[in-house]
């Protein structure tokens, strides 16, 4: 068995005692406040870090509910920026989607907004601001939203693992530079320090043979993470909150920004050993979750888990469905010579770069005045996505889950599709949720750099 190396710490820092959690465990009843906080993100011995967080922690403590429940939260904005809450992956009414300028006004510092909606689907979701998202997510405004099935599968522990990527300086302060054009035009703002639930590593005890549900959320602003399992026999049971019809064993999971994976993992390591979920990087594997294994030697593993009950999502009928193209261009080493801005004016690259825009979708940099398509309610729309850039992109659709259309048949339901450089892939979704919905790259630096569009589903 490969033993993961010690967690990397800030550039040049020696590995020190691990940070202890510095977060309030309470889920502030009915008020959801975005506020500054000061937490021990870096290892013990380093200064605490000023963050912005829901309830003042990063990530926020999160919300747990049951499928069919209503979420009612008065959002209070106590950060020195306009903000909002977007409930990522939740199929909710358009007015609750949290997109300022499209579904609601921005919430100024000191302002409030009441979010109130039902949860149609069980699964692993999360929430974050949808204004100035790169900076606000990058300073810590992320939290899980876990929706339990009416009858959850039997497990010995149900663990949520929210991954955040931080760019910290040597004093453990969050680095500025939110407008950095180099980041925007490349892989985005990649940090130098990852946390899981706000700590360098999450650690639990479990018996040999125990069954764990791991809900992994990539809340990084831009980083793609490859996760690996050691000493666990894991099955992938859901992606982006949606159960998979076919449960398959996995040893690795690739998650683009905003994507989630649910694993049911049985502890295969022996008592006295450790099992791990790791993040696999070029220079080695870093611990994300460490399981100290106890119990009896030679414990039998359980049979493979059954699929989770499906969510009530309308399936796209892609045969004969209308298709639109979504062509991504720009970025470093890209071929975007010019693009239109929201005002319809065609501008050369240099002019766009001065406005912070380095990417375009269908020739428009930034939010277009016109929707990508107007779709009748109930219609299936196919989107042919063309990544005509040298960079990966995590394409996210609001208000709906889609399936990829492939030669081998429809792919799993997802809300975010990770596209590699030069890939062309097609998705289809049943447009059953009226309103204006964004389609954008969830690498938040790319979104800030122009990768945004929207669709209109007619009522
Ligand atoms: Cu997770 Cu448009 O957002
Ligand atoms: Cu992108």
């Amino acid at each position: 068995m490969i033993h993961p190396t010690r967690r990397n710490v800030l550039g040049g820092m020696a590995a020190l005692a691990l940070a202890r959690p510095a977060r309030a465990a309470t889920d502030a009843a009915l008020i959801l406040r975005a506020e500054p906080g000061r937490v021990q993100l870096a290892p013990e011995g380093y200064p605490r870090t000023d963050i912005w967080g829901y309830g003042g922690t990063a990530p926020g403590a999160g919300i747990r509910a049951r499928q069919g429940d209503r979420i009612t939260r008065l959002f209070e904005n106590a950060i020195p920026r306009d903000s909002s809450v977007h409930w990522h992956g939740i199929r909710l009414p358009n007015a609750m989607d949290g997109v300022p300028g499209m579904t609601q006004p921005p919430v100024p510092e000191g302002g409030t907004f009441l979010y109130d909606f039902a949860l149609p689907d069980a699964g692993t979701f999360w929430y974050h601001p949808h204004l100035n998202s790169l900076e606000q997510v990058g300073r810590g405004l992320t939290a899980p939203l876990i929706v339990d099935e009416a009858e959850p599968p039997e497990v010995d522990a149900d663990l949520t693992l929210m991954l955040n990527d931080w760019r910290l300086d040597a004093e453990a302060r969050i680095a500025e530079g939110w407008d950095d054009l180099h980041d925007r035009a490349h892989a985005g703002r990649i940090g130098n320090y990852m946390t899981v639930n706000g700590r360098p590593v999450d650690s639990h005890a479990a018996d040999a043979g125990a069954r764990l549900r791991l809900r992994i959320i990539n809340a990084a602003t831009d980083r793609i993470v490859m996760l690996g399992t050691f000493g666990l026999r894991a099955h992938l049971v859901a992606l982006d909150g949606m159960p998979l019809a076919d449960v398959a064993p996995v040893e690795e999971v690739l998650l683009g920004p905003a994507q989630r994976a649910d694993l049911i993992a049985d502890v295969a390591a022996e008592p006295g050993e450790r099992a791990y979920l790791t993040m696999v990087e070029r220079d080695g594997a870093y611990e994300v979750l460490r399981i100290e294994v106890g119990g009896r030697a030679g414990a039998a593993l359980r049979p493979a888990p059954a699929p989770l009950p499906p969510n009530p999502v309308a399936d796209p009928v892609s045969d004969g469905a209308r298709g639109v193209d979504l062509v991504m261009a720009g970025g470093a080493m890209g071929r975007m010579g010019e693009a239109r801005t929201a005002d319809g004016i065609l501008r050369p690259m240099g002019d766009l770069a001065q406005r912070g825009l380095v990417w375009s979708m269908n020739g428009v940099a930034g939010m277009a005045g016109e929707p990508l398509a107007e779709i009748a309610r109930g219609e299936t729309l196919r989107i042919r996505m063309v990544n005509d850039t040298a960079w990966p992109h995590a394409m996210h659709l609001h208000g709906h889950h889609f399936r990829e259309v492939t030669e081998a048949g429809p792919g799993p339901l997802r809300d975010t599709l990770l596209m590699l450089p030069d890939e062309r892939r097609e998705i289809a979704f049943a447009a059953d949720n009226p309103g204006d919905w964004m389609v954008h790259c969830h690498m938040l630096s790319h979104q800030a750099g122009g990768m945004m569009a929207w669709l209109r589903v007619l009522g």
Side-chain angles (χ1 to χ4, degrees), residues 93-140:
N94 194 243
M96 295 290 112
D97 198 40
V99 180
M102 178 160 272
T103 69
Q104 67 166 81
V107 183
E109 181 179 12
T112 62
F113 188 90
L114 182 66
Y115 291 98
D116 180 26
F117 53 88
L119 298 164
D121 302 316
T124 301
F125 303 95
W126 65 297
Y127 55 96
H128 62 80
H130 216 289
L131 189 63
N132 183 283
S133 319
L134 172 64
E135 178 183 13
Q136 294 187 24
V137 169
R139 290 190 188 277

Side-chain angles (χ1 to χ4, degrees), residues 56 88 139 239 242 276 289 305 339 420 444:
H88 185 112
R139 290 190 188 277
L239 286 169
M242 294 296 168
Y276 300 96
L289 170 69
L420 299 180
L444 299 176

Side-chain angles (χ1 to χ4, degrees), residues 352-395:
L352 294 169
Q354 271 180 8
R355 294 158 198 262
L357 298 169
V358 288
W359 304 94
S360 68
M361 297 210 296
N362 286 357
V364 182
M367 199 69 142
E370 297 296 311
L372 193 59
E374 285 199 357
I375 319 158
R377 189 172 185 171
E379 188 187 341
T380 289
L381 186 75
R382 305 162 69 128
I383 307 179
R384 292 179 292 257
M385 305 215 218
V386 180
N387 182 2
D388 193 15
T389 80
W391 302 91
H393 300 290
M395 298 304 296

Side-chain angles (χ1 to χ4, degrees), residues 376-459:
R377 189 172 185 171
E379 188 187 341
T380 289
L381 186 75
R382 305 162 69 128
I383 307 179
R384 292 179 292 257
M385 305 215 218
V386 180
N387 182 2
D388 193 15
T389 80
W391 302 91
H393 300 290
M395 298 304 296
H396 172 48
L397 170 66
H398 283 215
H400 303 78
H401 275 66
F402 54 79
R403 288 187 192 274
E404 188 170 357
V405 182
T406 73
E407 307 251 298
L413 285 167
R414 298 212 72 148
D415 61 40
T416 306
L417 182 74
L418 183 61
M419 293 199 52
L420 299 180
D422 294 316
E423 268 187 346
R424 298 164 168 264
R425 292 164 66 180
E426 183 170 320
I427 62 168
F429 68 100
D432 57 359
N433 198 355
D436 292 345
W437 302 104
M438 279 191 78
V439 184
H440 64 89
C441 181
H442 218 293
M443 284 154 178
L444 299 176
S445 302
H446 292 177
Q447 182 188 5
M451 298 193 78
M452 287 181 272
W454 59 289
L455 293 160
R456 174 164 288 163
V457 180
L458 302 169

Side-chain angles (χ1 to χ4, degrees), residues 46-113:
Y46 287 87
R48 292 191 295 162
T49 300
D50 288 314
I51 53 100
W52 294 343
Y54 294 111
T57 68
I63 295 176
R64 186 142 200 158
R66 204 164 256 271
Q67 186 171 19
D69 280 357
R70 279 194 94 74
I71 293 281
T72 307
R73 287 291 185 285
L74 183 67
F75 170 62
E76 293 184 353
N77 184 13
I79 61 163
R81 300 279 188 282
D82 289 359
S83 194
S84 73
V85 185
H86 171 61
W87 309 89
H88 185 112
I90 303 292
R91 300 183 302 120
L92 39 57
N94 194 243
M96 295 290 112
D97 198 40
V99 180
M102 178 160 272
T103 69
Q104 67 166 81
V107 183
E109 181 179 12
T112 62
F113 188 90

